[in-house]
Structure formats: structure tokens, C-alpha cells
Amino acid sequence: VSDRLRDFSFVLGFLIVFRVQTAYARWWEAGTLLQQLRGEWFNSFSSLLAFCNNDPEKWPEVERFQHFLIRLISLLYANALKQVSAMKDNAFELISIEGFDLDSLEAMIKAHDSCELVAQWIQRLIVDANTKDIIKIAPPILSRVYDQLGRGIVRLNNARKIRQFPIPFPLAQMVALMLLMHLVVTVFVTASKIDSAAIGAGFTFVIVLAFWSIHFIALELEQPYGDDPNDLPLHEMMTDLNQSLSGLLKPIALSPPVYDYDPDRDRSLDKSRADFHTHLTNQKTSGKGRRRTAKLA
């Protein structure tokens, strides 16, 4: 009997380890896909800001385009997280959409796929901006923005797959049934082999605890979009993107730094290991550094 229990435990252990590996792969892939689509959409937003027309006469239209775009990107990511989320609280942080018309918002709420609709709005906005010379860039370069938006949607569909397609039911039920059988058989085999009730109970508890603990690890990781402590921090991810988007609309980010080129100093390409804070402090102390506003004035 003990030999058969050992064989049974080996098979059960193999199935549980396989399930844990699969669950961890799902958990890791879920986080990777959300970060990848975040990167794709952030890069598209960053590129569009860089492509904006610098003509001062176009600035009112450019500014409106930039603020419209940042709200649509934030709305797109919020809808993406809502589609994969299994959380009770799906009210994700948004950059204000107060200026949007009610008909469009109602259409988005009722849409079969709100992300596809918002992505279409963004593409239409880019086409209109390009037609009006709000964006001024060669078409082949602009097309990369559409590629990034499209790749983000593809990654979103792969992320949704993890929530929509759970571990196959037969595998999950077979593992649960085998764990129960293993619990019962282990109790009887241990009782028949060990005279001391306390020692037998201790061995049984440790063996059963090990198998069930690994099993519950798999259950914890299989659905990474929920409210459990080990699930992905969806609300924090939304907040992080909004902060990154908002940072690009600050005046300091809309143009490159002022650079005073000195041939005698810069041709040698000197290197240093000082961190940025140390470098900034040294520049302030030595009086060599210049303020951007003073230089621009």
C-alpha cells in the first residue's frame, strides 16, 4: 500500500507542479502584456507630441489637439484595464473628460468593444490633425504611430485571453479530486505504519499541507487581474500612465534642453561617474550652469 501511495503521490506532485508552472506563466504573461501595450500607446502619444507643428500661429490648434489626445489615450488604457479586470472596483483614474460630448460617451459605454471605438477616435483625430497641418511629419514616419496603436490592441486581446480562458476544467477537477483521495489514503497509511498517534498525525499534516499549499499557490496566480494581494496592481498602473502622459505636456518636455556647444570643451567627449543630482549641484555651485528661461530670454 505504501508503495502505491508513493506512486500516487508522484503523479499528483507532477500535476500540481505543472499547474503551478502554468499559473505562474499566465501571471507573468498578464503583467508583461499590460506593460507592453502601455509602452506602445505611450510611445504613440510621445511621437505625436514630437510631430506637432511649431508654427506659433498653429499653437491654439496644436494645444487643443494635445489635450484632446492625452484624454483619449488615458481613456483607451482605462477601458483596456476594465476589460481584463476581475476587480470589484473598476473605476480607474482618468484624465478629465469633461469636454467630451454625451452622445460619444454613451456610444462608448454601449459599444461591443469600447477599446476599439476609442482607438478609432484616436486614429480619426490623427488623420484630421495631419490634414490641417497640426501634425507636420512625413507620412511614412507618421504610419509608425498607427502601428503602435494597432500592436497595443493586439496585446490587449492576448491579455483578455488570460481572463476569458481559465485552466481547463477537467484538469482542475482531477487535481482537486486526487488531493482529497491523497488526504484520505495518507491518513490510513500513516496510521498503519506508525504506532505513535502524535507522530503519525504530524507526518500526515506536513505531507498534506505541502501538497495543498502548492495547489493554492496555483489558484492564487491563475487569475492575475483580481483583488487578491498577489494580483496585478491595475489601479496603480493606470495612475502611473496618467502621470507619464501629464509629464509630457509640461513646457519643459515640449522642446529639447538648451545646449551651449563649446568646441574646446565638448570635442574631447569627457566622461564622469557623477550622478545627475551631484552634477546639478556642482553646476549650481560653480556658477557654470545656466537657467533655461534666462537663455531663452
Side-chain angles (χ1 to χ4, degrees), residues 234-248:
L234 300 185
H235 284 284
E236 289 78 1
M237 294 169 72
M238 184 73 239
T239 301
D240 176 70
L241 177 65
N242 286 335
Q243 290 176 348
S244 297
L245 295 175
S246 301
L248 290 189

Side-chain angles (χ1 to χ4, degrees), residues 268-281:
S268 61
L269 300 178
D270 293 337
K271 302 172 182 62
S272 64
R273 290 185 177 273
D275 60 49
F276 297 125
H277 295 288
T278 303
H279 174 76
L280 183 60
T281 301

Side-chain angles (χ1 to χ4, degrees), residues 10-282:
F10 173 81
V11 174
L12 177 59
F14 174 82
L15 290 175
I16 293 177
V17 170
F18 170 76
R19 187 172 184 182
V20 170
Q21 290 177 335
T22 303
Y24 179 75
R26 287 164 58 90
W27 181 86
W28 185 258
E29 183 184 13
T32 300
L33 290 170
L34 290 184
Q35 288 296 86
Q36 286 177 339
L37 73 88
R38 184 239 194 241
E40 297 282 6
W41 291 341
F42 176 81
N43 287 340
S44 66
F45 175 74
S46 175
S47 296
L48 289 169
L49 291 189
F51 298 161
C52 286
N53 197 329
N54 288 327
D55 186 350
E57 295 182 0
K58 284 285 185 181
W59 173 244
E61 295 179 81
V62 169
E63 185 177 28
R64 179 187 179 277
F65 167 75
Q66 291 174 347
H67 281 269
F68 196 2
L69 179 64
I70 192 175
R71 285 160 173 79
L72 286 176
I73 294 293
S74 178
L75 185 62
L76 178 62
Y77 194 61
N79 276 292
L81 294 181
K82 187 175 181 181
Q83 287 186 0
V84 301
S85 172
M87 304 171 66
K88 295 179 180 178
D89 179 14
N90 285 326
F92 294 100
E93 177 186 278
L94 276 177
I95 296 176
S96 174
I97 54 174
E98 289 293 329
F100 285 32
D101 68 276
L102 298 180
D103 291 336
S104 295
L105 294 178
E106 289 178 357
M108 182 191 70
I109 293 172
K110 297 177 181 178
H112 169 68
D113 191 318
S114 57
C115 280
E116 293 175 351
L117 178 60
V118 176
Q120 178 65 19
W121 289 345
I122 294 174
Q123 293 183 92
R124 186 67 248 180
L125 177 67
I126 296 171
V127 171
D128 292 342
N130 187 49
T131 303
K132 298 175 182 177
D133 283 337
I134 296 173
I135 295 173
K136 197 170 184 180
I137 200 70
I141 299 177
L142 182 59
S143 66
R144 298 175 186 175
V145 172
Y146 295 104
D147 291 338
Q148 290 172 329
L149 290 171
R151 286 197 299 267
I153 294 295
V154 172
R155 298 189 194 283
L156 172 60
N157 287 329
N158 286 330
R160 288 164 54 183
K161 171 189 67 179
I162 295 175
R163 181 188 175 185
Q164 295 172 350
F165 304 147
I167 294 293
F169 181 76
L171 175 61
Q173 290 301 104
M174 183 179 68
V175 171
L177 179 60
M178 290 180 68
L179 280 168
L180 292 174
M181 294 173 59
H182 180 266
L183 169 61
V184 174
V185 174
T186 301
V187 171
F188 284 104
V189 171
T190 304
S192 65
K193 295 293 183 179
I194 301 177
D195 296 331
S196 172
I199 296 176
F203 273 112
T204 302
F205 175 78
V206 170
I207 295 171
V208 172
L209 177 66
F211 277 94
W212 281 87
S213 296
I214 300 173
H215 174 65
F216 280 115
I217 291 174
L219 295 179
E220 181 75 12
L221 298 178
E222 281 175 0
Q223 287 295 345
Y225 301 125
D227 291 305
D228 295 334
N230 293 303
D231 289 337
L232 299 176
L234 300 185
H235 284 284
E236 289 78 1
M237 294 169 72
M238 184 73 239
T239 301
D240 176 70
L241 177 65
N242 286 335
Q243 290 176 348
S244 297
L245 295 175
S246 301
L248 290 189
L249 275 190
K250 293 180 179 179
I252 199 71
L254 293 177
S255 59
V258 174
Y259 172 53
D260 292 325
Y261 176 65
D262 184 344
D264 295 332
R265 177 195 63 195
D266 296 336
R267 283 175 178 170
S268 61
L269 300 178
D270 293 337
K271 302 172 182 62
S272 64
R273 290 185 177 273
D275 60 49
F276 297 125
H277 295 288
T278 303
H279 174 76
L280 183 60
T281 301
N282 293 339

